Structures are given as structure tokens and as C-alpha cells.
């Protein structure tokens, strides 16, 4: 299993929306590096849902339920399907992430504009813990 971080503007689509919907198509990603990460996702992978904007915090855990498929007419873009697993016990803020030495090389902190990025096993454990919301 691989781990990922998916950023979303909570005013557009929030963790609460994902829980309400029970599943979502993670589409609309229009960055080549982020799209490459979506292509690498496999069913069963886990993803942190991160609220950008004013909140700036990881708030929940989702599971990838379908691998990448074409998103739109341009073959460069893809989407994956996800479902909520559970909320993090406490949201993990960007400030907390930046202060944690275990996360110093985390892709999201090095490339903050990426909307989809990988998370290492150690980074996952530092943010989501070993239980990881289910």
C-alpha cells in the first residue's frame, strides 16, 4: 500500500462533503506532476485529505477505490475514485507539520503548490499514526 496527500479547498469540496457523498471522483487536477501521482495510485492506497486555504490542515483519511482513468478530452489528465475511511483524531495543521523534524523532507512541504503528492511510511505514521483512521 502506498500513501498520498490530496489537497482540496474546503469551500469547493471538503472532508465533510466526501463523508456525506460516501465516495468521490478526484478529478480536475491540471498539473503534470500531480497527474503523474494520480496515475501511480492503486486501489487500497490511502490518502490524507488536506484542507488548503484558511484551514491548512490534514483532516481525514481516504482510500483509493479505483485506479486512474482519463479525465476530460485531453489525455494528459486523469482522475481516481476515493472513499472516506475516517477523520483524523485531531486535524494536523501545516504549522505542526513544519515543526516536525520527521516531516522535513515531505513532498507537500517542499512543493506546496502540488495538489497531489506522495507520503512516505514514516511521514504517514507521524501524521496519521499507526491506526490511521481505520
Amino acid at each position: 500500500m502506498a500513501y498520498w496527500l490530496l489537497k482540496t479547498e474546503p469551500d469547493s469540496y471538503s472532508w465533510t462533503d466526501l463523508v456525506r457523498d460516501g465516495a468521490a471522483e478526484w478529478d480536475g487536477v491540471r498539473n503534470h506532476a500531480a497527474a503523474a501521482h494520480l496515475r501511480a495510485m492503486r486501489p487500497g492506497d490511502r490518502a490524507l485529505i488536506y484542507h488548503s486555504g484558511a484551514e491548512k490542515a490534514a483532516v481525514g483519511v481516504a482510500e483509493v477505490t479505483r485506479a486512474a482513468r482519463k479525465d476530460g478530452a485531453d489525455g494528459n489528465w486523469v482522475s481516481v475514485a476515493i472513499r472516506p475511511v475516517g477523520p483524523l483524531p485531531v486535524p494536523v495543521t501545516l504549522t505542526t507539520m513544519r515543526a516536525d523534524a520527521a516531516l522535513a523532507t515531505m513532498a507537500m512541504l517542499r512543493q506546496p503548490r502540488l495538489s497531489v503528492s506522495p507520503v512516505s511510511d514514516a511521514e504517514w505514521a507521524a501524521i496519521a499514526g499507526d491506526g490511521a483512521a481505520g
Side-chain angles (χ1 to χ4, degrees), residues 3-98:
Y3 299 112
W4 307 93
L5 184 137
L6 301 173
K7 284 186 180 179
T8 184
E9 288 282 345
D11 291 343
S12 297
Y13 195 79
S14 70
W15 169 254
T16 303
D17 295 325
L18 178 60
V19 170
R20 177 200 64 221
D21 296 345
E25 190 69 24
W26 207 261
D27 58 3
V29 173
R30 298 296 184 261
N31 172 284
H32 290 286
H37 295 315
L38 287 174
R39 284 186 195 90
M41 291 181 179
R42 299 292 172 256
D45 286 357
R46 294 284 172 106
L48 292 166
I49 302 299
Y50 179 90
H51 283 173
S52 55
E55 191 172 346
K56 294 182 177 63
V59 295
V61 174
E63 179 179 358
V64 176
T65 59
R66 195 205 67 252
R69 72 175 181 197
K70 188 175 172 182
D71 178 18
D74 183 339
N76 290 322
W77 311 123
V78 295
S79 66
V80 297
I82 63 170
R83 70 167 186 86
V85 173
L88 292 177
V90 175
V92 180
T93 66
L94 179 59
T95 301
T96 300
M97 289 180 195
R98 285 185 175 149

Side-chain angles (χ1 to χ4, degrees), residues 87-134:
L88 292 177
V90 175
V92 180
T93 66
L94 179 59
T95 301
T96 300
M97 289 180 195
R98 285 185 175 149
D100 190 335
L103 303 177
T105 61
M106 187 173 182
M108 196 259 314
L109 299 177
R110 289 183 294 114
Q111 296 176 301
R113 296 185 63 92
L114 270 184
S115 61
V116 179
S117 58
V119 175
S120 73
D121 291 352
E123 293 162 349
W124 184 268
I127 294 171
D130 54 3

